[in-house]
Amino acid sequence: MDVANANLGFLSSPSAPIPTYKAQGFDKMIADTKPDEVKPMTINKVRCKAIINTVNKTGKKVRVTFNYQYAPHKTRLIKGGEEVIGQVNSVHFEWALNTSHGADYFRRWHRDTRNAGGPLVHKSTHHFDLINFWLLSHPVSVMAQGGLMFYGREKAEKRCITEFYCRAPGSEVAKKDPFALHLEEHEQLLRKMYVEAEHEDSYYQDQSVFGDGISNKDTMGVLVKYASGAFSTYSLTAYAPWEGFRAIFNGTKWRLELVVVEQSYVNSAGEQGAEGALQKCTVTLRPLFKKLREFEVEGGLGGHGGGDPVLLNDLFGGNVGEDQFGRAADHVDGAKGILTGICANKSLRTEGVVQVKDVLDLKY
C-alpha cells in the first residue's frame, strides 16, 4: 500500500476514537488538538485580511487545500508548458454544474449568499485558482454579469410552475419534483448526519430549489485581467444537463482545448470518492500552420479526479520531497483565489470594473 492510501485508510478508520466538537467549540478544538496544519480560507475581504495579518504577526503557516491542482489531468495541463503553446494570451473557462450537483447550492445553507459568498466564492474559487496556477499569475481587474435565472420561486412561476413546497419530507409535490432530495433514501449518510441533527443547528439540506429566500446567482460570466497580460472569460451554469468543464488556451504557438466530463455528485449522498470523478478528458492541440493533435488523458483514483489522495499525501504523508509543480497553496494563494470571486460579486452589485488592489492590496 502506498503512502497516500495508507493515510486515507488512517483518516477513514482511525485506531483511536476521534474527539468531536460542535461549532461553538471551535476554539477549544484548536486548543485541545493543536493541529499541525490549518486549512481555512474565507468568503470576504475583511476576514481574508485578518488571516493575512495573523500569519504576518505570528509567523505561523496556513495551508489552503486546492485539491483541483492535484488532479493529474489538471496539474500537467499548462504548468511548464510555455515552450509548447507559447505565451498564453487568453483563456476561456466554462464550468457546468448539472441539475443534481448544481441544485445542491440552492437546497442548503449556502443558498443565501451571505453564508458562503455565493457560487463565485464558494465554488468558483477552485476554478479561479486553477487559472492562477496555470498562468503563474494573479488577477488585477474583474468584471462580472449574472443572475438567478433558473432556480427560485419567481423564475419557476415564469415557467408556469404552480405547485411549491418548502422541504421534501411528507410533500406530495416533492415526490413529483426531480430536483427534490429525499434524505430518507440515504439511511446512513444523510438521515443520520442531517435529519437526526437538525435540532442541533437547524441545518436543512432538503429545501426546495424553487423556494423563497434564495439570493445566490445560478448563471454567471466573469472577465478577468491578469498581471501577465492575459485575460480570461469564465462562465458558470448551475443547471446544466452535464457535469464538467471546457478550458481553451490561446497561445502564440498553439491553441489548447480541454474538455472534461465529470461524475455528478450530491453532497454526502454517495461515495466520497465519486465527487468530481473523471469520466472523460480530451485534449486537442491546434498548432499554427500544422495538423492538430487530439488525445485522451486518464485521471487518478480517488475524489476530484484523483486529486484528493495526492493532496492528503502532501499534507499528511511526511517527507514526500519537493513538489515539482508547486501545488502547495498558502494564504496568499488562497487570497488570490477568493479575491477574483469577491471582486466579481462587487462587480455584480456595482455593474462596473473592479480593481483587485482596491479591494485588497496583496503587494505581490
Side-chain angles (χ1 to χ4, degrees):
M1 179 180 290
D2 62 26
V3 177
N5 288 332
N7 275 285
L8 281 173
F10 171 77
L11 291 171
S12 60
S13 303
S15 57
I18 296 177
T20 59
Y21 301 83
K22 296 182 180 180
Q24 59 268 30
F26 181 82
D27 290 340
K28 185 177 187 306
M29 177 188 71
I30 297 297
D32 290 350
T33 61
K34 296 179 175 58
D36 296 322
E37 299 279 356
V38 181
K39 303 169 292 187
M41 212 54 207
T42 185
I43 65 172
N44 60 48
K45 65 176 183 180
V46 175
R47 297 174 182 176
C48 181
K49 184 63 174 177
I51 292 172
I52 293 172
N53 289 341
T54 301
V55 170
N56 293 337
K57 180 180 179 180
T58 64
K60 301 294 184 180
K61 295 182 179 180
V62 171
R63 283 288 299 272
V64 180
T65 51
F66 285 126
N67 46 14
Y68 277 139
Q69 290 189 12
Y70 289 83
H73 61 289
K74 298 184 178 82
T75 296
R76 296 180 177 274
L77 181 59
I78 292 296
K79 199 74 170 175
E82 185 170 313
E83 68 277 5
V84 177
I85 68 171
Q87 176 181 318
V88 178
N89 292 326
S90 67
V91 180
H92 175 65
F93 198 3
E94 174 194 10
W95 201 285
L97 294 171
N98 71 3
T99 49
S100 177
H101 186 188
D104 248 8
Y105 293 88
F106 301 87
R107 295 189 187 103
R108 303 185 285 144
W109 59 278
H110 44 31
R111 70 199 311 213
D112 186 337
T113 301
R114 295 173 297 179
N115 292 334
L120 286 173
V121 171
H122 188 88
K123 178 63 177 176
S124 300
T125 289
H126 288 280
H127 311 157
F128 297 139
D129 170 70
L130 272 178
I131 300 176
N132 295 339
F133 176 67
W134 286 330
L135 294 180
L136 294 176
S137 190
H138 59 270
V140 296
S141 67
V142 180
M143 184 173 67
Q145 294 285 334
L148 183 63
M149 300 180 177
F150 182 81
Y151 297 111
R153 182 169 184 138
E154 180 182 352
K155 297 302 179 183
E157 288 178 335
K158 288 184 177 180
R159 297 196 300 275
C160 299
I161 296 176
T162 58
E163 295 183 299
F164 297 92
Y165 62 96
C166 293
R167 298 182 61 196
S171 170
E172 293 299 319
V173 177
K175 292 179 180 179
K176 299 179 290 183
D177 179 14
F179 290 90
L181 179 61
H182 301 283
L183 298 175
E184 66 277 7
E185 296 178 0
H186 306 277
E187 174 74 13
Q188 296 296 322
L189 290 170
L190 295 185
R191 189 179 67 80
K192 291 187 176 182
M193 183 180 294
Y194 296 107
V195 177
E196 295 180 5
E198 287 178 357
H199 66 283
E200 296 277 1
D201 54 13
S202 300
Y203 178 10
Y204 307 128
Q205 185 164 340
D206 55 3
Q207 298 175 85
S208 169
V209 298
F210 301 117
D212 296 315
I214 297 175
S215 56
N216 275 348
K217 309 292 189 292
D218 56 27
T219 311
M220 291 148 282
V222 183
L223 177 64
V224 184
K225 182 73 174 181
Y226 293 86
S228 67
F231 68 87
S232 72
T233 55
Y234 169 84
S235 68
L236 177 68
T237 302
Y239 48 90
W242 69 292
E243 179 94 3
F245 69 92
R246 305 176 193 272
I248 297 172
F249 302 82
N250 292 302
T252 54
K253 298 179 181 178
W254 298 70
R255 173 184 169 97
L256 187 153
E257 302 170 0
L258 175 70
V259 179
V260 173
V261 180
E262 294 186 344
Q263 182 170 323
S264 175
Y265 177 79
V266 175
N267 185 65
S268 297
E271 292 295 328
Q272 188 68 31
E275 183 172 6
L278 181 66
Q279 291 188 329
K280 186 176 182 179
C281 175
T282 303
V283 177
T284 304
L285 288 169
R286 301 181 185 274
L288 299 180
F289 311 113
K290 295 180 182 179
K291 186 177 180 180
L292 69 83
R293 292 160 48 190
E294 185 175 78
F295 51 92
E296 292 193 6
V297 178
E298 293 185 359
L301 298 177
H304 292 99
D308 290 353
V310 183
L311 170 61
L312 288 171
N313 188 45
D314 189 18
L315 286 171
F316 307 115
N319 184 14
V320 295
E322 183 179 356
D323 180 5
Q324 62 174 313
F325 300 110
R327 293 169 293 190
D330 61 12
H331 61 292
V332 176
D333 297 311
K336 289 190 292 186
I338 63 171
L339 275 173
T340 306
I342 290 171
C343 292
N345 281 335
K346 182 177 180 180
S347 178
L348 287 172
R349 295 191 299 270
T350 62
E351 297 186 346
V353 177
V354 176
Q355 300 297 322
V356 175
K357 64 180 178 60
D358 294 339
V359 175
L360 183 59
D361 191 355
L362 293 176
K363 301 185 184 302
Y364 298 102

